[in-house]
Amino acid sequence: MREAVPPTPARPRQEKPPPRRSPVRQAPEVVAVRPARRGDLDRVIAIDAAVTGLPKRSYWLSIYRRYSGAGRVGRYFLVADSGGEVRGFIIGDVRDWEFGSPPCGWVFAIDVEPRFRVAGIGTRLLTAICANFRRAGVFKVRTILAHDNTLILSFFRSQGMMAAPFIPLEMDLEV
Amino acid sequence: MKLQKNTSLALYSVLEFAADPTRHFPATEIAAKYGVSAHHLAKVLAALARAGILESVRGVGGGYRLVCNLRRLTLIDVIQIFEDPGLPDGERGDSGESTPVGRALGVVLSEIDQMTKATLASITLATMLRLMARQQKAGQDRVSRRRPRHASGRNP
Ligand SMILES: CC(C)(COP(=O)(O)OP(=O)(O)OC[C@H]1O[C@@H](n2cnc3c(N)ncnc32)[C@H](O)[C@@H]1OP(=O)(O)O)[C@@H](O)C(=O)NCCC(=O)NCCS
């Protein structure tokens, strides 16, 4: 049986799309997308902390152990690397038959360092993980987003994502 | 969700302009395409110009052209010029809204409003153009799959 789904990293602070002004846009860097290595974790933790405000070292170590390295079939932890510097990352996996749905690719985290946004890095990361999903034989990709995070919603919409036939539900449990 | 007529017309018009941002064309052209009077459409386009989305072009062949950033202007930006998509909590304006039933109904209706707003606020004109292109391509693919092979004239 597939192991329990890791929770989405702490709910990001609501982000309004910043105005489109990026010095990087005019002189795009050469960015390669590759699997994450142990040495990338400090940058990954820093980029995540810039978005969520929480440095979650032990969480990221456990994500790294579960999603990186050889033999991790259907699990992908990729980073965007520019001259040895990590600019962003994406994590996802292939999920089988959740709630009766045929296997599909799930993206459960994506982050690009704020200074390097709107320069195509997010698109490169998503394209790379989708290529992995295709190689794994799945042809549908899903994600779940906070409805007040307009920035990330706009990003996934721009990539062609549409509403899925699911409704996320939650409730508070009595203490 | 049902949009008011002027809102739909505004979205049709803005997307017509967005499809070819370098071109300026007269209101009559869009009015004819969407089956409304040029007089009616002129009022909608004037509202879009006041909001800084379109700019009127004087002289021969006049009309309007798009002056906004189509990668950043979202559907909700256009809609809110004409109507409020969803009301804030507790403002439905019916007499039962302060009753227990009304309050519970309000919670459910505001869930729906939140999803509507999140959707409309995350779809830019550029994203809409890409969606239109995908739909068009899917339509063409369906037609070519249905067309019998000999219809190309190359197969016997
Ligand atoms: C969403 C995110 C990954 C996008 O990365 P990016 O490298 O800036 O994305 P790209 O440059 O590839 O942008 C692709 C498209 O996304 C959309 N987009 C990106 N930034 C946008 C913005 N500020 N406003 C509106 N649309 C935007 C645009 O349509 C853009 O296409 P365009 O450049 O042709 O307009 C990045 O902004 C980010 O990391 N945000 C924080 C994410 C977060 O909250 N993560 C925690 C939960 S997992």
Side-chain angles (χ1 to χ4, degrees):
Chain A
M1 209 177 102
R2 188 163 287 278
E3 133 185 17
V5 173
T8 307
R11 185 182 150 78
R13 287 188 295 248
Q14 177 179 357
E15 281 198 62
K16 275 247 169 294
R20 186 189 187 79
R21 237 182 303 112
S22 169
V24 196
R25 188 97 195 169
Q26 281 106 49
E29 299 189 312
V30 181
V31 171
V33 177
R34 58 163 174 79
R37 301 180 195 128
R38 179 69 180 75
D40 298 327
L41 270 191
D42 284 346
R43 289 297 310 137
V44 167
I45 294 168
I47 294 170
D48 170 60
V51 175
T52 64
L54 295 172
K56 306 180 285 289
R57 176 159 284 278
S58 54
Y59 167 78
W60 283 109
L61 277 170
S62 88
I63 288 288
Y64 177 76
R65 278 195 292 270
R66 275 184 283 164
Y67 284 82
S68 292
R72 300 279 184 265
V73 178
R75 295 181 194 182
Y76 310 97
F77 186 166
L78 309 177
V79 296
D81 175 321
S82 171
E85 289 288 321
V86 171
R87 303 292 191 223
F89 61 86
I90 191 164
I91 312 173
D93 53 14
V94 174
R95 296 188 184 177
D96 300 330
W97 304 109
E98 276 187 343
F99 296 101
S101 157
C104 72
W106 257 97
V107 172
F108 74 86
I110 182 167
D111 258 324
V112 172
E113 191 179 330
R115 283 185 304 140
F116 296 94
R117 289 183 187 169
V118 211
I121 295 178
T123 304
R124 295 280 310 276
L125 286 163
L126 186 64
T127 305
I129 205 165
C130 287
N132 279 304
F133 290 147
R134 261 187 231 103
R135 277 193 290 273
V138 298
F139 296 91
K140 176 85 80 187
V141 56
R142 297 198 169 113
T143 191
I144 188 159
L145 306 165
H147 66 68
D148 58 359
N149 193 336
T150 311
L151 171 58
I152 196 159
L153 271 169
S154 305
F155 167 73
F156 279 114
R157 285 286 191 177
S158 79
Q159 306 296 307
M161 280 206 176
M162 305 294 288
F166 301 100
I167 297 181
L169 296 175
E170 66 173 22
M171 69 174 178
D172 294 326
L173 299 179
E174 279 172 31
V175 273
Chain B
M1 181 191 182
K2 191 160 169 21
L3 294 171
Q4 289 167 20
K5 192 173 174 196
N6 280 357
T7 316
S8 301
L9 267 179
L11 288 171
Y12 289 144
S13 308
V14 166
L15 282 157
E16 288 288 341
F17 286 108
D20 190 354
T22 54
R23 207 181 138 212
H24 54 92
F25 37 102
T28 45
E29 202 176 310
I30 299 174
K33 184 164 178 182
Y34 292 96
V36 292
S37 77
H39 178 71
H40 186 163
L41 186 70
K43 286 187 194 161
V44 172
L45 298 184
L48 291 170
R50 277 196 302 278
I53 292 172
L54 300 180
E55 182 180 75
S56 73
V57 180
R58 295 182 195 288
V60 190
Y64 285 91
R65 70 164 165 246
L66 197 74
V67 284
C68 64
N69 180 352
L70 60 91
R71 287 148 100 183
R72 290 297 172 265
L73 193 82
T74 65
L75 296 182
I76 208 162
D77 296 330
V78 177
I79 292 172
Q80 276 173 339
I81 299 169
F82 298 89
E83 62 184 281
D84 186 352
L87 290 168
D89 289 352
E91 286 182 26
R92 293 201 317 283
D94 67 64
S95 54
E97 75 186 3
S98 61
T99 65
V101 176
R103 279 198 296 274
L105 193 57
V107 169
V108 175
L109 295 180
S110 82
E111 272 186 15
I112 298 168
D113 282 351
Q114 276 175 3
M115 296 314 290
T116 304
K117 283 184 181 169
T119 302
L120 297 173
S122 65
I123 299 183
T124 63
L125 299 188
T127 296
M128 280 296 287
L129 293 177
R130 279 193 286 261
L131 172 59
M132 286 154 58
R134 280 203 311 276
Q135 284 181 329
Q136 221 161 354
K137 186 173 176 303
Q140 280 160 4
D141 290 349
R142 265 197 305 276
V143 170
S144 59
R145 270 199 305 273
R146 247 184 278 138
R147 193 176 296 146
R149 292 187 72 200
H150 63 264
S152 69
R154 264 172 292 177
N155 293 327

